[in-house]
């Protein structure tokens, strides 16, 4: 549960950072001062909103802006989508755990099964979606050239960070976004005092 709470904190900070970065880029593009209230309101109107994690996980793709398709836990989004999330490596660094331990803590098979010793765990499952963002055609053309030369020469191609669909468009795998279901009241409280939104 501590891993999930830290994951949600990082995810929330990442969502805010993605929005602020988009505001900063729009301010440079349209020559506006984001510190002035009038300009800030205009920038908030120009920049797309970051979708809530629970909307990404539970809502159908047709109800979300800049979402192309949704298949199970895989979500395809367009170039203008403000992607955010928390990587398992970052969560492991903050929690001082290995990446494998974080993966196990976020695995529903581990979470929903009782411990063989005292019957601990057996808590609710956690759900998430893997964001796949479509790349601009100019950037996709570079990967096409790299693919023709040799796939091993490009790091992203070699390690599967990017992939091409049947239509020839390239997508980049982003961080996974998990549903937000916990509210931490106080750090000294036990598991029974943590509120779970259902």
């Amino acid at each position: 549960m501590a891993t999930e709470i830290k994951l949600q904190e990082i995810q929330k900070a990442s969502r805010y950072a993605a929005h602020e970065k988009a505001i900063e880029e729009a301010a440079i593009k349209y020559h506006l001062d984001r510190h002035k209230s009038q300009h800030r309101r205009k920038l908030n109107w120009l920049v797309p909103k970051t979708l809530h994690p629970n909307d990404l996980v539970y809502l159908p793709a047709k109800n979300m802006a800049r979402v192309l398709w949704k298949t199970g836990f895989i979500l395809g989004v367009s170039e203008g989508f403000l992607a955010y999330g928390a990587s398992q490596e970052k969560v492991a660094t903050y929690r001082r755990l290995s990446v494998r331990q974080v993966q196990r803590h976020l695995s529903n098979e581990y979470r929903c099964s009782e411990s063989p010793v005292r019957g601990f765990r057996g808590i609710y499952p956690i759900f998430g979606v893997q964001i796949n963002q479509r790349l601009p055609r100019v950037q996709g053309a570079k990967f096409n050239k790299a693919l023709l030369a040799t796939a091993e020469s490009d790091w992203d191609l070699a390690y599967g960070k990017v992939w091409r669909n049947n239509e020839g468009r390239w997508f980049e795998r982003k961080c996974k976004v998990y549903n937000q279901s916990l509210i931490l009241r106080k750090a000294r409280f036990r598991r029974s005092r943590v509120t779970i939104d259902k």
Side-chain angles (χ1 to χ4, degrees):
M1 191 171 283
T3 300
E4 185 182 352
I5 291 172
K6 178 53 67 176
L7 171 76
Q8 290 186 9
E9 288 178 4
I10 298 172
Q11 193 169 265
K12 185 177 180 180
S14 174
R15 183 185 177 195
Y16 175 79
H19 182 70
E20 287 298 307
K21 183 180 178 182
I23 289 284
E24 185 178 352
E25 291 174 354
I28 295 172
K29 181 179 180 180
Y30 297 104
H31 306 287
L32 298 173
D33 186 0
R34 63 175 185 162
H35 300 293
K36 293 182 179 180
S37 59
Q38 184 179 0
H39 289 183
R40 182 74 184 200
R41 284 195 296 269
K42 188 174 183 180
L43 288 169
N44 285 331
W45 180 77
L46 290 170
V47 172
K49 301 293 185 292
T50 53
L51 297 176
H52 193 273
N54 290 356
D55 294 338
L56 293 175
V57 174
Y58 296 119
L59 287 183
K62 62 181 180 180
N63 293 343
M64 295 183 284
R66 295 177 178 82
V67 173
L68 304 175
W69 44 265
K70 185 177 182 183
T71 307
F73 63 90
I74 301 175
L75 187 71
V77 298
S78 65
E79 299 88 337
F81 184 88
L82 295 182
Y84 63 92
S87 65
Q88 295 177 345
E89 291 80 4
K90 194 168 186 179
V91 176
T93 302
Y94 276 96
R95 289 275 291 122
R96 296 185 179 182
L97 301 172
S98 67
V99 177
R100 182 67 187 129
Q101 283 179 299
V102 172
Q103 291 174 349
R104 189 167 64 249
H105 290 173
L106 299 177
S107 168
N108 286 332
E109 184 178 352
Y110 172 84
R111 293 166 64 86
C112 298
S113 61
E114 292 187 355
S115 170
V117 181
R118 296 185 180 179
F120 290 162
R121 297 199 310 261
I123 60 174
Y124 58 91
I126 185 172
F127 302 100
V129 289
Q130 174 75 54
I131 295 179
N132 291 258
Q133 189 162 30
R134 187 174 64 188
L135 298 175
R137 292 187 182 273
V138 176
Q139 194 172 353
K142 295 179 181 178
F143 285 115
N144 283 330
K145 291 180 181 178
L147 190 64
L148 289 174
T150 171
E152 298 299 328
S153 63
D154 191 281
W155 188 91
D156 291 337
L157 287 172
Y159 288 90
K161 189 177 179 183
V162 295
W163 58 277
R164 186 172 60 179
N165 66 358
N166 295 333
E167 299 173 357
R169 294 304 302 271
W170 286 90
F171 287 80
E172 180 184 2
R173 290 182 176 89
K174 299 285 187 176
C175 290
K176 196 171 182 180
V177 176
Y178 292 90
N179 65 314
Q180 197 165 343
S181 57
L182 293 178
I183 300 175
L184 184 62
R185 298 301 185 187
K186 279 189 178 181
R188 66 180 181 179
F189 283 172
R190 296 177 179 268
R191 178 184 295 182
S192 59
R193 301 293 295 276
V194 178
T195 302
I196 301 174
D197 291 339
K198 294 184 179 179

